[in-house]
Amino acid sequence: MGFYDRHILPPLLSLAMGAKPIRYQRRKVVPLCEGRVLEVGFGAGHNLPYYDAGRVSHIWALEPSREMRACAADRAAQCPIPIEYLDLPGEQIPLDDGCADTILITYTICTIPDVMAAMAQMRRVLKASGRMIFCEHGEAPDEGVRKWQRRLTPAWKAIGGGCHLGRPIPKLISDGGFRVEKMQTMYLPGTPHFAGFNYWGTAAKA
């Protein structure tokens, strides 16, 4: 890991992930969490203010980047819910089968190198009656925008921590063994279309 990844990228991602349109999306989905929650891609802890402490008893914060966990320190200190850090990637979740009531994944699927391996791990640790709550950017519905997503992704990955602009979010969720229950989509206002098509909703084990 070079200087950029250690010192430039973490505060840059923290700033981008705290933008107003993204905060608004977090406010829609995070309060749906309940019980013991595995948050995949905890990042700088931007979801923490939106958890309902009356419904959530524990948060497993899966985040492999030490620098991102450091960015989350102040928010974590203010959170009344117990937080347990897991410093491994999504493909290696060190939890028992069926231990999580909720999987929360926000703006993370775009960066996971092996999405199917990560989905298999999420499915394994989620209870049979549990839910996945997701909010992700990905493949746009308009071919003109998709063309730009394909063109820009190589450079975007290099500067954005491996972020893919146009991943097909619903397909990845369903191919990963989940059934989408509810989903909404839109271009986020105030964001470029190539990076701003958003999917959010809930899914259960298929």
Side-chain angles (χ1 to χ4, degrees):
M1 183 180 290
F3 180 88
Y4 177 81
D5 291 319
R6 291 196 309 270
H7 301 290
I8 305 299
L9 183 60
L12 185 65
L13 287 178
S14 181
L15 180 65
M17 291 296 97
K20 185 176 180 180
I22 295 179
R23 293 200 310 268
Y24 187 75
Q25 292 301 99
R26 296 183 194 280
R27 193 177 294 119
K28 293 178 183 178
V29 299
V30 178
L32 300 176
C33 294
E34 59 184 2
R36 292 159 68 83
V37 179
L38 169 62
E39 183 174 338
V40 178
F42 183 72
H46 285 293
N47 286 327
L48 289 178
Y50 307 111
Y51 277 102
D52 183 345
R55 301 182 65 192
V56 174
S57 59
H58 188 86
I59 299 169
W60 286 293
L62 188 77
E63 177 51 60
S65 168
R66 179 178 60 186
E67 291 77 15
M68 291 306 297
R69 295 196 303 272
C71 289
D74 288 344
R75 295 183 185 92
Q78 298 175 36
C79 181
I81 304 167
I83 299 171
E84 180 181 347
Y85 286 102
L86 307 174
D87 61 350
L88 289 171
E91 298 93 332
Q92 303 174 43
I93 300 176
L95 296 176
D96 294 335
D97 294 359
C99 65
D101 299 290
T102 306
I103 302 285
L104 176 66
I105 185 163
T106 60
Y107 304 104
T108 298
I109 290 176
C110 63
T111 63
I112 297 175
D114 189 341
V115 180
M116 287 300 100
M119 286 289 174
Q121 285 291 295
M122 287 184 252
R123 192 176 188 280
R124 177 184 65 79
V125 303
L126 185 64
K127 288 182 177 179
S129 59
R131 286 193 304 173
M132 169 191 281
I133 298 168
F134 62 92
C135 184
E136 298 285 340
H137 77 92
E139 184 179 55
D142 305 297
E143 176 55 29
V145 179
R146 290 197 299 270
K147 187 180 296 184
W148 278 106
Q149 289 179 322
R150 292 191 291 270
R151 288 174 178 168
L152 294 173
T153 286
W156 195 264
K157 285 170 59 181
I159 65 173
C163 176
H164 296 71
L165 289 169
R167 281 186 165 170
I169 301 303
K171 183 177 188 302
L172 292 174
I173 292 173
S174 61
D175 286 354
F178 292 90
R179 172 177 47 84
V180 174
E181 298 174 316
K182 297 179 181 179
M183 186 177 72
Q184 294 178 270
T185 64
M186 72 172 181
Y187 287 107
L188 296 187
T191 62
H193 280 189
F194 67 82
F197 192 73
N198 216 186
Y199 300 81
W200 70 98
T202 63
K205 285 188 174 183

